[in-house]
Each structure stands twice: as structure tokens, then as C-alpha cells.
Amino acid sequence: MNEKGFYGEFGGQFVPNEVKVALDQVAAAYEQYKDDPEFLAEYQHYLKDYSGRETPLYFAESLTKRLGGAKIYLKREDLNHLGAHKLNNVLGQILLAKRMGKTKIIAETGAGQHGVATAAAAAKFGMACEVFMGAEDVARQKLNVFRMEMLGAKVHSVTQGTQTLKDAVDATFGYFIEHLEDTFYVLGSAVGPHPYPTMVKDFQKIISEEAKRQILEKEGRLPDYIFACVGGGSNAIGAFAAFIPETSVKLIGVEAAGKGVDTPYHAATMTKGEIGIIDGMNTYGLFDKQGGVLPVYSISAGLDYPGVGPEHAFLKETGRAEYVAVTDKEAVDGFLTLSKTEGIIPAIESSHAIAEAIKRVPTLSKEELVIINISGRGDKDVEQVAKYLNITL
């Protein structure tokens, strides 16, 4: 990445001037503190004592035997406090906000995990918190909405557009523009204008730093494959980060194919998208012929985003990572397979990565090593999966 936030041609700051001023202040503060020993010590303290890191790298013995190919490890971000990887990033951004003198925190959320993490951290540090969530996602993720409200956050149901994650991002930026002086926008994914994609990667890279050390301790060598789901791309960039320089490790990002990439009902941004401007960045997105952003669909409220983080776009363009798409059906099958095989109920987002691994692992040798990033737990998705399976709870 260069100093203007570009990964090759991807990234940048394509925003109104008043937002650029605020973003430049955030970027300057981040540059000031990101290597500051006191800041890093405080961040590491809360990762350990509040969030409960490090998370295990778990040998999935039963799934390995069932699939009959490579040895499978699961990076258990579902065991992080609040049940997902999101808190890794939220803690870092809120500690930065405090140093900038901000008193209010705002956030967007899709599946609700980022909203819950932001609400919890805001409560922990005594800061006001408002969360914007698409009305469709509010209906799909009622449990997480209630969790946010229990933690003291005000949840705004966004009724514009497709009423999903893209519209929540738009609404949050709209609010941010009007409240720049006292408000910090804790962006949850590795998307948006500079410096957010870089900050999110830096705060999420703990996933791969731990996984790299853990696999070396357990196996004495690096893995052959890393699988992670990709919507905006925060868990995936965190899972990939420490392995990007290790060219022997294949990085596999898994998007949402929804009802199929040959239908309009998917969120397969890099499989079917084009390069353009979305949410203040130049990246792959799903656009109509007039350049407007297309509606997207996925069973997963965390993957139905019509763009992707600029570093993922760069990794695709340079061939360093491979991106594929998995359907709702395949994801639900992955959800059920891990639940029944290992006694671990994964988030429906993570189930996309599981589904792709299930396809590939049987074709690999028993000597090969695979890590699947389990980005979150699936409690929040049980009702949605039951509905998909026509089961009445």
C-alpha cells in the first residue's frame, strides 16, 4: 500500500472534501499511535483480558477422517469474546478514538456481529454508541439487535435501497458527515476509504499471526491452504495477512454465490463484478450498465455486500489469492456438516469457507495441511438455517 491508501490501482479516498478532512485526521492519528508502545500494550491487554485471546488452532480430527484428504485445522475465532473476530478490530479503533478525544461511536453492521462488538466496547469504555443496520438484516438477526440494545446502543433500521449492508454503510457515512467533531466511525470490514482498509487489516492480522505460530508449533511447517469467507473481507484479510509473503501457502477467499452466480441473487463481487468506485474506494463491485450499484443477495447477512476490500481486489489481480463463490445450499450443508461432525456450530458466513474446503480437501493428500478460519459462531444463524430447511422452531 502507498501513502494514499492504494493497493496497486485499488483503494484510495473517493469521498466529499469534508469527509476527507476527517479521514485524514484519523489517518494521522493512526500513524501516530500504530507503533506506539503504550498504545500497543493497551491494545494487547484488552485483547487478552477482555476479549480472551489467543484463540485455539483446533485439529478437526473427525472432519479430517470424514473427508479423507488433507489434515484440517480450524482457527477458532468463534471463541473470541462475543462470538466472532470483530472485536479484534473494534478494540483497536475505539482506543484510537479515545486518544482523538471522540465521545461518540457509530458503526454499520450486517450480520450484527460488528454491531455487537462495537456496542460492547463502547459500553466498556463509557462511550455513546449508535449502530446502523439494514431493515432486512434487522429482521434476519433479531437476536443480535437485542444484544446491541442490551449493551446500551441505539440501533437504526435502514429502510433505503435493499435494506442490507451496503445501505447501512451509506447511512453511517451520512451520519458521520454531520457529526464529525465528536464522532468516530468504527468501520467493521476492510472496506471504505483510506485509512480504514489498512487499519482493519492491522487490527485483524492477529488471526494469522497466531495461526502461523500455532501451526509451526503443532506441525513444524506452514499450511498448504488457508480458507476464509469474504464479504467486505475483514476476517479473510486477517487470516491471510501473515501468510501473504509465504508464497507456498495458497489463499482461498470464498464469496456468497447465493442462489447461483448465473442468477441475479448472489454477492459474488469478484467472481462476477467489475472495477469501479463504491463506498469511497476503487475496487471490484457489482454494477449495472449505468454504473449504479446492483442489489445483492446471500443467506448470510454478513456477506451480502456488493463490493470488497481493496487489498482483496489487489490479491486477486496479482494472483496471490484465489476467490471462488459458494451457494446458500452449499453453505448450509457446510454449516450442518461441521455441527454434526465436530460439535461446532459455525456462523453461516464461515460456513461458506467450510463448504469450499469440503469440496477440495478430499482431492488433497493426507500430508497436506489446511486451515479454515471459523470467523464466528452460528447461534445467530440457527433460525435462518431452520427457515431455509423449512423447519418451524
Side-chain angles (χ1 to χ4, degrees):
M1 184 204 71
N2 67 19
E3 69 280 358
K4 294 184 179 179
F6 280 95
Y7 299 84
E9 67 179 295
F10 303 104
Q13 278 184 347
F14 298 88
V15 294
N17 285 335
E18 62 267 34
V19 178
K20 189 177 186 306
V21 170
L23 293 173
D24 288 346
Q25 290 173 355
V26 173
Y30 184 61
E31 281 299 312
Q32 179 181 350
Y33 291 111
K34 69 183 179 69
D35 298 317
D36 178 69
E38 185 178 320
F39 177 84
L40 292 174
E42 187 176 12
Y43 175 56
Q44 291 293 335
H45 164 74
Y46 286 113
L47 282 179
K48 179 183 176 184
D49 287 3
Y50 181 65
S51 191
R53 298 203 73 91
E54 65 183 44
T55 61
L57 185 68
Y58 166 78
F59 171 41
E61 185 175 5
S62 297
L63 186 61
T64 298
K65 287 180 179 177
R66 174 170 175 159
L67 296 180
K71 194 171 184 180
I72 302 168
Y73 283 90
L74 309 178
K75 182 55 174 163
R76 297 289 308 277
E77 290 301 293
D78 58 310
L79 296 179
N80 206 20
H81 179 44
L82 305 169
H85 70 291
K86 292 295 187 180
L87 192 58
N88 305 329
N89 168 56
V90 168
L91 284 171
Q93 288 199 42
I94 282 190
L95 291 174
L96 183 64
K98 284 174 63 67
R99 281 165 170 75
M100 293 178 69
K102 305 297 185 181
T103 57
K104 177 182 273 189
I105 297 298
I106 59 171
E108 88 298 335
T109 197
Q113 292 299 96
H114 174 60
V116 170
T118 304
K124 162 70 183 161
F125 293 107
M127 303 176 82
C129 178
E130 299 193 28
V131 179
F132 295 81
M133 189 174 190
E136 176 71 19
D137 294 337
V138 167
R140 288 194 285 185
Q141 299 290 343
K142 293 176 185 176
L143 175 62
N144 273 343
V145 173
F146 184 55
R147 291 171 79 196
M148 286 182 264
E149 292 172 342
M150 277 198 309
L151 291 161
K154 181 178 180 180
V155 180
H156 298 273
S157 180
V158 179
T159 57
Q160 286 78 31
T162 57
Q163 305 181 12
T164 55
L165 183 56
K166 168 67 171 66
D167 310 291
V169 172
D170 291 344
T172 316
F173 267 115
Y175 184 95
F176 187 42
I177 290 170
E178 297 177 0
H179 301 82
L180 294 173
E181 288 194 10
D182 64 349
T183 299
F184 189 100
Y185 180 3
V186 177
L187 211 163
S189 197
V191 300
H194 177 66
Y196 282 107
T198 303
M199 283 200 303
V200 173
K201 176 190 178 179
D202 285 350
F203 291 133
Q204 291 293 0
K205 69 183 179 183
I206 187 71
I207 299 170
S208 56
E209 288 174 341
E210 288 180 1
K212 187 175 185 179
R213 176 173 47 76
Q214 290 166 327
I215 197 73
L216 288 171
E217 289 172 355
K218 290 175 182 290
E219 296 287 345
R221 70 176 185 88
L222 294 173
D224 297 286
Y225 289 85
I226 308 287
F227 291 88
C229 64
V230 179
S234 62
N235 92 87
I237 206 64
F240 291 171
F243 296 103
I244 290 172
E246 309 287 357
T247 55
S248 66
V249 181
K250 300 174 183 66
L251 308 176
I252 312 296
V254 188
E255 302 185 298
K259 297 181 181 180
V261 294
D262 55 344
T263 78
Y265 304 104
H266 65 80
T269 304
M270 287 188 284
T271 304
K272 299 289 285 187
E274 300 174 352
I275 298 171
I277 306 298
I278 183 171
D279 289 332
M281 59 181 169
N282 187 52
T283 188
Y284 278 93
L286 294 168
F287 304 101
D288 60 27
K289 291 180 180 179
Q290 288 73 44
V293 177
L294 286 168
V296 291
Y297 162 80
S298 169
I299 191 173
S300 161
L303 300 184
D304 60 354
Y305 180 65
V308 70
E311 189 167 5
H312 284 296
F314 179 72
L315 292 174
K316 169 185 164 66
E317 199 76 358
T318 58
R320 179 62 191 93
E322 178 187 354
Y323 295 87
V324 297
V326 156
T327 65
D328 287 354
K329 181 183 185 306
E330 291 169 324
V332 170
D333 288 346
F335 178 97
L336 296 173
T337 297
L338 192 68
S339 299
K340 294 176 180 179
T341 306
E342 291 289 347
I344 297 169
I345 303 174
I348 196 66
E349 290 81 16
S350 316
S351 300
H352 287 70
I354 294 162
E356 183 62 23
I358 287 171
K359 291 181 193 176
R360 296 201 192 198
V361 163
T363 71
L364 304 177
S365 74
K366 294 183 186 299
E367 287 69 43
E368 291 184 275
L369 302 175
V370 163
I371 296 176
I372 308 171
N373 193 40
I374 307 301
S375 57
R377 68 178 186 234
D379 312 47
K380 66 183 179 58
D381 299 309
V382 169
E383 185 177 353
Q384 188 74 13
V385 170
K387 182 180 178 183
Y388 180 86
L389 297 171
N390 292 315
I391 296 171
T392 303
L393 298 180

